Amino acid sequence: MKSSWVRLTGNPDTHKLEARIFHITCIFTILLFTCSIFFNYLIGLYSLSLLLIPSVFAACGLYYLSKFRHQHSLAVLVFCILGNIVFIIFFLNNSGINGPSLVIYVLFFFLVMSIVPVNQRLIWVGVNITVAILLISYQYRYPEAVPLKHRDGLSRSLDFAYVYFFTLLIVYFIITSIINSYNRERTLAENRAELLELSNQSKNKLFSILAHDLRSPLNSIQSFLELSLDEQLNADERKIIHSSLLRETRYTRQMLVNLLSWSKTQMDGVTVNMVRLDLEETLESTIMMQANLAEEKGIVINNLILKGIYVIADHNMLELVIRNLINNAIKFTDADGEINICSEDHGEECWIKVQDNGVGITEKNERNIFSLQSESTYGTNNEKGVGLGLVLCKEFILLQQGKIWVESISGMGTTFFISLKLAKDLNQAFI
C-alpha cells in the first residue's frame, strides 16, 4: 500500500514536497468528480453530471503534466484558473447558495492554499472572495437565473451530506499527507545535519593531522639534517642520526600515503578492482618488507598464510590494509616481540589475522579504533600513531565487501581480523 501510494504521489527523491501535495490534490479531485458524476445523476442533477465529465479529464491531464512532464508550476496555475471556472458553472447549475456550492468552494480554497507558492496566496485569497461575493450578489439580484435544481428536500439533504463527507475526507488526507511529508523532510534534515557534523569532525581531525602530526616528523627530519652537518660528530653519532632520520622518513611517507588514500575516498574517487587473488602470493612482498622494519626493532614476523587460498579482493587495497595493520602491530609491540599473520578458511569466507603480543588496546580506545574519533597514541619506541591508517583499513575493507574487527586484551596483545569472500571457482564473476 505504501509503495503504491508513493508511486501515485511521486518519489521524494524526484518530486518536491509541493509537487507531491499537488498530486494528492489531483488524485482526490479525480476521485471526487468521478463519484459525483454518478451521485448527481442519481439525485437528478443531470446537467451537473455532464459538466463533471470533462473536469475529470482536465484533472487527469494536470496530474500527468506535473508528475510525468515535471511542469508543476504550470499545472498548479491551470488548476487554480480552471477550478474557479468550474466552480462558477457549478454554482449556477447546483442551486447557488441553496446548494452545497459554497462548501465546495471553501474546499477548493483549502486545496489552492496547499499547492500555490507563498507569494501567490494573497492573490488567490482575493480571487476567492471576489468570485464568491459576485456570485452571491448575482443570485440576490437575479434569483430566477439560479433556480433550485434539487427535486425534493431528500435529494438536497443527500447532496449536502455527500459534499460534507468528501470535504472531511479530502481535508483529512491532505493534512495528514502534509504532516507526514513535513516529518519526513525534518528527519532528512536532521540526518543531513548529523552527516554534516560528522564531516566537520573528520575535517577537523584531518587539519589536526596536517597541523601537528605531519609537522612534527618534518621538524624532526629538519633537526636531524641540521645535526648531520656538524663536522664534530663521530661515526656512531652519525649512524644514530641517520637511523632516526630514516625512521621518521618512513613514518612520514606512510602517513602521507594513508592521508592521500583517505582523502581520495572522501572525494568518491576510488575505483575498486575486484579480482581473484592468490592470498599468499599477493601479501608475500608486503609481509617481507614489513619484516625488515620489524627486525630493526627486534620483532619477529611469522608469515603463516596457507598456500592455495584465493580471495575476491582489490590487490592494491588489500596490500595497503595489511601493510597498515602490520605497521600498527610493530608500533605497539615491544622489542623481542612477535607478530603472526595467518589465514583461516571459514566456509564461504577467508579470515586474515594480524596478531601481536604487544601492549594491547584499552576498552575505551577499542570502541573508536576504526573512527577519526580515536585518540592519538604513541608506540613502544615513541612512534606516533594517529589512527588514520585504521580508518582507511575499515573503509577499504568495506569497499571490498568484507568485514574488519579487533580483539584485544590490554597488556597482552591485539588481533585484527579481516573477512573476505573466498574465490573457489576460477571462473567466478566479480562485482
Side-chain angles (χ1 to χ4, degrees):
M1 287 288 291
K2 186 176 180 181
S3 59
S4 299
W5 183 248
V6 169
R7 283 197 295 271
L8 278 172
T9 59
N11 193 306
D13 296 331
T14 56
H15 294 85
K16 293 182 179 179
L17 176 59
E18 295 82 357
R20 299 199 303 274
I21 294 173
F22 178 70
H23 299 156
I24 295 170
T25 300
C26 288
I27 290 168
F28 278 104
T29 300
I30 294 167
L31 179 63
L32 172 62
F33 283 0
T34 303
C35 293
S36 297
I37 291 172
F38 298 100
F39 178 79
N40 288 324
Y41 183 82
L42 289 174
I43 63 174
L45 300 175
Y46 305 119
S47 59
L48 203 57
S49 294
L50 292 175
L51 166 68
L52 291 173
I53 294 174
S55 300
V56 171
F57 286 104
C60 291
L62 294 176
Y63 172 78
Y64 173 80
L65 185 65
S66 175
K67 187 173 187 298
F68 298 102
R69 300 298 297 272
H70 299 280
Q71 297 187 35
H72 169 68
S73 299
L74 176 60
V76 169
L77 178 62
V78 175
F79 178 88
C80 294
I81 295 172
L82 286 180
N84 279 281
I85 294 172
V86 169
F87 168 72
I88 293 171
I89 299 172
F90 187 85
F91 182 91
L92 297 174
N93 286 272
N94 193 22
S95 308
I97 59 174
N98 297 311
S101 303
L102 290 178
V103 177
I104 293 176
Y105 201 38
V106 171
L107 173 62
F108 173 71
F109 173 74
F110 170 76
L111 296 178
V112 168
M113 290 298 102
S114 302
I115 60 177
V116 296
V118 177
N119 58 354
Q120 293 183 18
R121 287 176 182 171
L122 284 177
I123 296 174
W124 290 110
V125 168
V127 170
N128 188 279
I129 293 172
T130 302
V131 170
I133 290 174
L134 288 175
L135 287 173
I136 293 170
S137 301
Y138 176 78
Q139 184 174 2
Y140 174 77
R141 187 173 181 85
Y142 305 103
E144 69 283 354
V146 190
L148 186 66
K149 293 293 184 76
H150 296 94
R151 291 181 299 194
D152 50 38
L154 176 62
S155 62
R156 184 168 178 266
S157 298
L158 288 174
D159 198 9
F160 270 98
Y162 172 80
V163 169
Y164 168 79
F165 169 76
F166 257 101
T167 299
L168 187 68
L169 193 66
I170 292 174
V171 169
Y172 167 77
F173 275 102
I174 293 292
I175 290 178
T176 302
S177 299
I178 292 173
I179 292 173
N180 290 340
S181 298
Y182 168 76
N183 290 334
R184 188 186 303 113
E185 294 292 333
R186 185 180 64 180
T187 302
L188 288 174
E190 289 172 353
N191 291 339
R192 292 191 194 103
E194 289 178 7
L195 290 174
L196 183 60
E197 178 63 26
L198 289 174
S199 176
N200 285 335
Q201 290 177 7
S202 299
K203 179 194 68 176
N204 293 337
K205 180 71 174 181
L206 180 60
F207 286 153
S208 172
I209 293 169
L210 291 172
H212 179 267
D213 298 326
L214 187 57
R215 182 180 60 188
S216 180
L218 289 176
N219 287 340
S220 299
I221 291 170
Q222 180 181 342
S223 300
F224 291 140
L225 288 172
E226 290 171 352
L227 283 172
S228 67
L229 295 175
D230 190 345
E231 296 179 357
Q232 297 180 359
L233 293 174
N234 57 41
D236 290 336
E237 289 172 331
R238 287 183 181 278
K239 186 176 180 180
I240 292 172
I241 290 174
H242 290 164
S243 177
S244 299
L245 181 61
L246 180 59
R247 184 175 63 251
E248 290 290 342
T249 304
R250 283 172 177 165
Y251 163 72
T252 306
R253 178 185 177 278
Q254 180 62 36
M255 195 179 71
L256 279 173
V257 169
N258 287 339
L259 188 59
L260 292 173
S261 299
W262 180 78
S263 299
K264 191 175 182 182
T265 65
Q266 303 308 299
M267 295 185 291
D268 298 325
V270 176
T271 302
V272 185
N273 182 26
M274 301 291 281
V275 294
R276 187 175 186 266
L277 296 175
D278 183 322
L279 192 61
E280 182 196 28
E281 182 181 314
T282 301
L283 300 181
E284 184 179 9
S285 60
T286 300
I287 295 173
M288 189 179 299
M289 189 180 302
Q290 296 301 110
N292 293 332
L293 298 176
E295 191 177 341
E296 296 178 6
K297 197 174 176 180
I299 297 172
V300 176
I301 293 183
N302 300 312
N303 185 356
L304 306 175
I305 292 181
L306 300 174
K307 294 181 180 294
I309 289 187
Y310 293 86
V311 296
I312 302 173
D314 181 290
H315 188 286
N316 294 329
M317 284 187 177
L318 183 57
E319 276 194 331
L320 186 143
V321 169
I322 297 300
R323 184 165 63 246
N324 270 288
L325 292 180
I326 297 175
N327 216 12
N328 191 74
I330 293 171
K331 284 179 185 177
F332 299 102
T333 301
D334 291 309
D336 301 323
E338 190 176 59
I339 298 172
N340 296 320
I341 297 101
C342 61
S343 59
E344 298 175 356
D345 189 329
H346 286 264
E348 298 295 319
E349 298 177 343
C350 171
W351 288 11
I352 305 168
K353 294 164 61 176
V354 178
Q355 185 178 38
D356 66 62
N357 58 356
V359 298
I361 307 169
T362 63
E363 186 177 345
K364 177 184 176 183
N365 288 337
E366 190 175 332
R367 286 195 296 267
N368 297 319
I369 195 71
F370 294 111
S371 74
L372 282 172
Q373 280 66 50
S374 60
E375 296 179 1
S376 298
T377 52
Y378 289 86
T380 54
N381 266 7
N382 210 36
E383 305 101 324
K384 190 73 166 58
V386 298
L388 184 59
L390 293 178
V391 174
L392 191 62
C393 287
K394 181 177 181 180
E395 292 194 9
F396 275 12
I397 290 299
L398 291 177
L399 285 170
Q400 295 173 88
Q401 303 171 22
K403 293 176 286 187
I404 184 170
W405 68 98
V406 63
E407 293 179 2
S408 181
I409 300 175
S410 183
M412 297 184 65
T414 302
T415 303
F416 283 92
F417 295 83
I418 295 172
S419 171
L420 294 172
K421 190 174 181 181
L422 279 168
K424 296 182 178 179
D425 184 358
L426 185 62
N427 299 316
Q428 188 165 352
F430 310 115
I431 298 174

